[in-house]
């Protein structure tokens, strides 16, 4: 049964599934994948979870694999530029036609599923099923890297049996679902660890790292910790990126450079290096140091302290929780000391935006609050009321961001940072890069 003639019809349908919200659990995914012939079992997958850093780590690893001559598929969310990018091959989003074909194959099963005791599939469950189907049937790649959507244990992607697991970081996000403590959140993230599948992590908090280590022991999975087993040194912020050296149990890498800006990107790049090392050591790939360094340097990822204008300097950054905002503050301190930082901020209602605003106030010369067209977006006025900054403004119209930028154009030391939500920066980025 062909449900959709055009991509626009298919996109309208999948966006309509957002009304079903988040429904943790794997029973609907397992039902769909059984009907599809278990495509998730036919992939060389790497599974990535974590509060922050997932997208950048995936971008680094994908770039390294490409430089070594391998094809690499990715499944990531949310999108920044176009819906299509959620499924990509070698960094290129799949086509409208491919998405339409996927929805026409999965759609009838979704309608059938609704009549069962499991109920309606969510938007994320459907696109996750599409990703498994795409890489198993439509376009085989050497490797596929899957990013969890929320948590891990009950995330829709957690039906895959990967060759390698990566847990980037643990922080306070989605606490209503994942729990309020780092130990509880770590337990949810560690839920993606499968028996006998190695896990690499950069989690640094002792209580969270111990949860992951214990899960690895229970599942007889090798445990590799960036902070316990490796050493970063020679760390330096460059005008357009970062530089560092890394000592791992297997190798010393001197003078690694990234094009992604932010002190935290050194950690994300290091995780990708550890993953590439493991793939090489286990003979799943052959990645030399030159290819590895070139891949790290060439990796890009939209919306991660990305420069979108030169006059004034305007950056967009996807910091959307307390820990992300702390990383943003570190980046500002290391790259823009002595500059006047002007922040445009918006956030979702369920985020800890009071804590995020407090961190912004520690480095911003002024803050402009706004809102955007999204069901869970908080109002600009409520955000404004949480701020104690001396120089603050608000306007519910997202177009006010562009007027704010224009006002700073003649200020010699001005740097404008747009942040607070990945959905927000996606909307702003689209307008600024038209």
């Amino acid at each position: 049964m062909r449900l959709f003639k055009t991509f626009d019809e298919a996109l309208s349908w999948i966006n309509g599934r957002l009304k079903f919200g988040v429904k943790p659990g794997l029973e609907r995914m397992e039902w769909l994948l059984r009907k599809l012939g278990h495509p998730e079992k036919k992939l060389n997958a790497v599974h990535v979870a974590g509060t922050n850093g997932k997208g950048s780590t995936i971008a680094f690893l994908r770039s390294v694999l490409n430089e070594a001559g391998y094809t690499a598929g990715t499944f990531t969310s949310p999108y920044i530029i176009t819906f299509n990018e959620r499924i990509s091959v070698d960094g290129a989003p799949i086509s409208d036609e491919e998405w339409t074909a996927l929805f026409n194959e999965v759609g009838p099963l979704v309608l059938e599923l609704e009549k069962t005791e499991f109920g309606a599939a969510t938007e994320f469950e459907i696109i996750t099923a599409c990703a498994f189907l795409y890489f198993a049937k439509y376009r085989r790649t050497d490797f596929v890297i899957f990013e969890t959507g929320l948590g891990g244990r009950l995330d829709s992607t957690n039906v895959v049996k990967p060759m390698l697991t990566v847990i980037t970081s643990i922080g306070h996000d989605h606490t209503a679902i994942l729990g309020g403590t780092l130990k509880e959140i770590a337990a949810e993230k560690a839920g993606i660890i499968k028996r006998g599948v190695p896990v690499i992590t950069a989690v640094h908090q002792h209580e969270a790292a111990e949860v992951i280590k214990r899960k690895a022991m229970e599942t007889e999975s090798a445990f590799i910790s960036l902070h316990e087993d490796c050493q970063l040194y020679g760390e330096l912020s460059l005008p357009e990126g970062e530089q560092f050296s890394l000592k791992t149990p297997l190798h010393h890498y001197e003078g690694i450079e990234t094009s992604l800006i932010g002190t935290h990107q050194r950690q994300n790049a290091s995780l990708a290096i550890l993953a590439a090392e493991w793939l090489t050591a286990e003979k799943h790939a052959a990645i030399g140091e030159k290819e590895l360094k070139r891949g790290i340097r060439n990796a890009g990822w939209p919306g991660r302290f990305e420069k979108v204008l030169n006059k004034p300097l305007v950056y967009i950054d996807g910091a959307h929780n307390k820990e992300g905002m702390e990383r943003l503050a570190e980046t500002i301190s290391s790259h823009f000391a002595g500059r006047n930082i002007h922040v445009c901020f918006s956030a979702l209602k369920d985020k800890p935006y009071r804590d995020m605003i407090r961190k912004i106030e520690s480095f911003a010369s002024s803050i402009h609050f706004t809102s955007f067209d999204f069901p869970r977006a908080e109002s600009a006025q409520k955000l404004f009321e949480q701020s104690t900054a001396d120089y603050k403004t608000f306007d519910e119209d997202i177009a006010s961001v562009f007027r704010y930028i224009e006002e700073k154009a003649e200020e010699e030391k001005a740097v404008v940072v747009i942040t607070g939500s990945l959905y927000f920066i996606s909307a702003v980025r689209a307008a600024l890069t038209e």
Side-chain angles (χ1 to χ4, degrees):
M1 179 171 62
R2 190 165 181 262
L3 296 177
F4 313 108
K5 293 181 180 179
T6 68
F7 175 65
D8 286 342
E9 288 178 0
L11 194 59
S12 177
W13 174 73
I14 194 63
N15 287 336
R17 309 298 298 192
L18 288 168
K19 65 186 178 186
F20 295 110
V22 176
K23 297 163 67 174
L26 301 178
E27 60 273 5
R28 288 171 300 279
M29 282 301 301
E30 290 167 346
W31 189 96
L32 283 171
L33 295 173
R34 185 169 63 253
K35 290 286 187 176
L36 291 168
H38 287 294
E40 79 283 7
K41 296 182 178 181
K42 303 171 184 177
L43 310 172
N44 293 325
V46 176
H47 201 189
V48 182
T51 303
N52 294 312
K54 297 187 296 294
S56 298
T57 300
I58 289 170
F60 282 126
L61 180 55
R62 192 270 304 163
S63 181
V64 166
L65 289 168
N66 289 164
E67 289 292 341
Y70 299 99
T71 55
T74 54
F75 175 65
T76 57
S77 62
Y79 67 87
I80 298 297
I81 302 173
T82 172
F83 174 89
N84 301 49
E85 74 195 48
R86 299 178 85 158
I87 300 177
S88 296
V89 176
D90 297 339
I94 70 171
S95 68
D96 292 356
E97 292 74 20
E98 288 172 308
W99 269 112
T100 305
L102 286 167
F103 286 139
N104 273 318
E105 188 163 351
V106 175
L109 296 176
V110 171
L111 299 181
E112 186 181 341
L113 172 60
E114 289 181 3
K115 300 174 184 177
T116 73
E117 69 271 25
F118 303 124
T122 67
E123 179 250 15
F124 189 72
E125 288 171 335
I126 296 168
I127 64 171
T128 303
C130 287
F132 286 127
L133 181 63
Y134 182 80
F135 291 117
K137 178 179 177 181
Y138 287 63
R139 179 82 176 274
R140 298 304 297 266
T141 57
D142 296 316
F143 300 95
V144 187
I145 313 170
F146 284 93
E147 176 187 0
T148 59
L150 193 158
R153 183 175 63 90
L154 298 177
D155 186 74
S156 302
T157 61
N158 202 27
V159 291
V160 72
K161 177 69 182 289
M163 60 202 322
L164 180 65
T165 299
V166 179
I167 301 178
T168 58
S169 66
I170 299 294
H172 294 90
D173 203 1
H174 303 294
T175 52
I177 297 173
L178 303 181
T181 69
L182 292 178
K183 289 178 68 174
E184 289 173 323
I185 296 168
E188 291 295 322
K189 307 291 185 185
I192 72 169
I193 299 173
K194 308 296 193 304
R195 181 160 297 278
V197 177
V199 56
I200 297 170
T201 185
V203 172
H204 67 276
Q205 305 97 325
H206 176 75
E207 65 271 37
E210 285 300 308
V211 170
I212 297 167
K213 185 184 294 187
R214 186 164 58 250
K215 179 69 172 181
M217 291 178 62
E218 291 171 358
T219 56
E220 299 179 324
S221 303
F223 177 81
I224 306 163
S225 167
L226 175 65
H227 296 288
E228 294 180 15
D229 303 319
C230 305
Q231 179 185 357
L232 273 76
Y233 59 99
E235 299 181 63
L236 180 67
S237 292
L238 304 175
E240 297 293 334
E242 306 294 328
Q243 184 181 82
F244 65 99
S245 297
L246 176 67
K247 179 183 178 182
T248 76
L250 299 178
H251 198 75
H252 286 202
Y253 302 93
E254 299 282 350
I256 302 163
E257 293 186 3
T258 78
S259 297
L260 290 176
I261 296 174
T263 54
H264 55 290
Q265 296 298 357
R266 305 166 195 168
Q267 172 177 293
N268 296 332
S270 297
L271 274 179
I273 290 169
L274 286 174
E277 262 195 1
W278 183 87
L279 291 172
T280 298
E282 294 298 315
K283 298 186 171 20
H284 297 297
I287 303 169
E289 183 173 349
K290 287 183 179 179
E291 292 87 359
L292 193 150
K293 285 186 172 180
R294 194 160 57 236
I296 295 296
R297 186 176 62 249
N298 292 340
W301 193 238
R304 275 62 177 184
F305 211 80
E306 177 189 10
K307 184 166 67 174
V308 290
L309 277 181
N310 285 308
K311 188 175 175 57
L313 273 176
V314 178
Y315 290 85
I316 59 172
D317 187 76
H320 58 280
N321 50 44
K322 181 182 177 182
E323 287 79 8
M325 206 56 70
E326 289 170 352
R327 301 293 84 74
L328 176 60
E330 290 174 5
T331 299
I332 295 293
S333 175
S334 63
H335 284 269
F336 296 106
R339 303 294 291 265
N340 298 328
I341 310 301
H342 303 285
V343 176
C344 294
F345 181 81
S346 192
L348 301 184
K349 294 176 181 178
D350 57 354
K351 296 295 181 178
Y353 56 73
R354 178 182 294 182
D355 291 336
M356 297 163 69
I357 292 169
R358 290 291 173 272
K359 179 55 66 173
I360 291 171
E361 289 171 346
S362 72
F363 62 79
S365 300
S366 72
I367 311 174
H368 177 70
F369 298 96
T370 189
S371 192
F372 59 107
D373 185 18
F374 192 75
R376 288 156 44 214
E378 186 58 279
S379 73
Q381 181 172 350
K382 286 188 177 181
L383 296 172
F384 175 86
E385 290 170 351
Q386 292 297 322
S387 175
T388 60
D390 292 330
Y391 299 98
K392 60 179 180 176
T393 55
F394 79 93
D395 193 317
E396 302 294 345
D397 185 0
I398 195 173
S400 63
V401 171
F402 311 112
R403 295 191 291 272
Y404 184 77
I405 291 171
E406 288 176 5
E407 291 171 5
K408 311 303 178 187
E410 301 306 318
E411 186 181 319
E412 185 179 350
K413 293 186 176 183
V415 177
V416 178
V417 179
I418 299 162
T419 190
S421 163
L422 288 166
Y423 300 99
F424 170 55
I425 67 165
S426 175
V428 174
R429 188 188 190 282
L432 285 174
T433 57
E434 280 180 351

